Amino acid sequence: MYALLIPRQIKPDHKEHFIEILKEHGRGSKASESETKRYEFYQDPDDTNRIWLYEAYTDRTALGVHVKGAPHIQAMEAIKECGCEEERPEGGFMRADSIWSFETEEG
């Protein structure tokens, strides 16, 4: 498995719209990308306008398919159009290959 943890800083007046874009992105990815295994987002407890996206794919190739897919492209265009995102925060971005999870032992 290959995972990403991505911080996104949202303009306060655009947070709900941004979350709706992310939800639609996730739904589209689930419907059309069998190799996308996780698409979740979390609110930072210290900054309610910082959202953390957690994405997991079967491998790096699956991430490449995701990035070229319609759900991702549409979401990135919608985010750009609405102007709902501040500059991406420095640091905190993670890319990693999975070593172990409880799901791997179950499978």
Side-chain angles (χ1 to χ4, degrees):
M1 187 126 46
Y2 186 68
L4 305 172
L5 184 61
I6 308 164
R8 306 297 289 258
Q9 192 68 33
I10 313 309
K11 293 179 182 177
D13 295 343
H14 293 84
K15 183 176 170 186
E16 294 306 315
H17 183 63
F18 185 83
I19 289 171
E20 288 305 314
I21 292 169
L22 292 182
K23 286 179 181 179
E24 191 61 30
H25 182 189
R27 289 179 189 116
S29 297
K30 182 179 180 182
S32 64
E33 302 166 9
S34 64
E35 303 299 309
T36 297
K37 299 301 181 185
R38 295 273 190 281
Y39 184 83
E40 304 168 354
F41 38 98
Y42 302 85
Q43 181 173 294
D44 190 308
D46 298 322
D47 180 350
T48 59
N49 293 309
R50 179 166 293 189
I51 304 294
W52 289 87
L53 279 72
Y54 171 63
E55 303 176 16
Y57 306 89
T58 54
D59 55 29
R60 293 177 190 208
T61 301
L63 170 61
V65 169
H66 170 75
V67 170
K68 293 176 185 170
H72 179 78
I73 292 168
Q74 291 167 354
M76 294 305 102
E77 288 174 357
I79 289 168
K80 186 176 179 180
E81 284 177 17
C82 80
C84 46
E85 186 173 26
E86 302 280 357
E87 285 188 37
R88 189 168 288 179
E90 290 294 322
F93 186 91
M94 178 202 79
R95 295 177 193 226
D97 291 303
S98 175
I99 296 173
W100 180 92
S101 79
F102 60 82
E103 291 173 336
T104 59
E105 285 199 354
E106 295 172 2

